[in-house]
Amino acid sequence: MGCTTAPNPVPIITQQQLDCLNKPTDYVKKSVASHKQTYYGMDQDITLFKTPEGRIIGYLLEQGECSTVLLQVPEQQLQQASDFIAAEVKKNYGPMFFTNQEQKVSFKYYLDTTPLREGKPAYLVAQAMN
């Protein structure tokens, strides 16, 4: 009987991360703690955390609130991340999304592959638009 390895999870931005968009720093800190995300480091101005599942996620805090959330995407999962964005756009009938019906914080998804030039992982990004 052999040992099988679980496939890499599909790269997605979580609802918990989306709920942090446009929220004050204190809200983000409480959300990170309640979801048992541990400090992982910094990538420029982005604070990175490791989830209990081993994913590396980030929060960009600007002017006291969260403007952007990210998920680190290994190079071998770039196509999956691109497919995720395409599926979300198709399901949503366009590139603009809302965090939830009550708050109506609009955001957009994109894949930032710029770090690959420096040998770093790419990011799946959700950036608040309002």
Side-chain angles (χ1 to χ4, degrees):
M1 184 176 275
C3 183
T4 59
T5 57
N8 289 333
V10 176
I12 60 168
I13 300 286
T14 66
Q15 187 61 49
Q16 175 264 330
Q17 287 176 280
L18 294 176
D19 289 343
C20 287
L21 288 174
N22 284 0
K23 293 287 189 343
T25 302
D26 287 345
Y27 178 95
V28 176
K29 287 179 182 178
K30 287 177 187 173
S31 181
V32 164
S34 71
H35 286 86
K36 297 177 174 53
Q37 298 164 355
T38 55
Y39 180 78
Y40 184 77
M42 296 291 292
D43 187 347
Q44 297 180 21
D45 294 336
I46 302 161
T47 307
L48 299 173
F49 294 89
K50 191 171 194 173
T51 69
E53 302 79 32
R55 292 181 174 197
I56 306 301
I57 60 174
Y59 302 88
L60 177 60
L61 302 169
E62 297 178 304
Q63 299 174 353
E65 65 182 34
C66 182
S67 64
T68 307
V69 293
L70 309 96
L71 170 69
Q72 215 175 64
V73 180
E75 199 166 350
Q76 66 271 22
Q77 286 189 289
L78 290 177
Q79 187 59 52
Q80 281 183 299
S82 184
D83 292 347
F84 166 75
I85 293 170
E88 290 296 302
V89 168
K90 184 176 181 181
K91 182 171 63 176
N92 191 59
Y93 302 106
M96 296 302 295
F97 304 89
F98 295 98
T99 54
N100 61 48
Q101 293 299 336
E102 295 82 42
Q103 295 173 348
K104 296 212 185 268
V105 174
S106 63
F107 67 95
K108 67 176 182 174
Y109 282 120
Y110 63 92
L111 192 57
D112 182 5
T113 58
T114 307
L116 290 175
R117 287 183 246 162
E118 298 175 15
K120 297 179 182 179
Y123 289 102
L124 176 60
V125 180
Q127 182 175 30
M129 301 307 293
N130 58 340

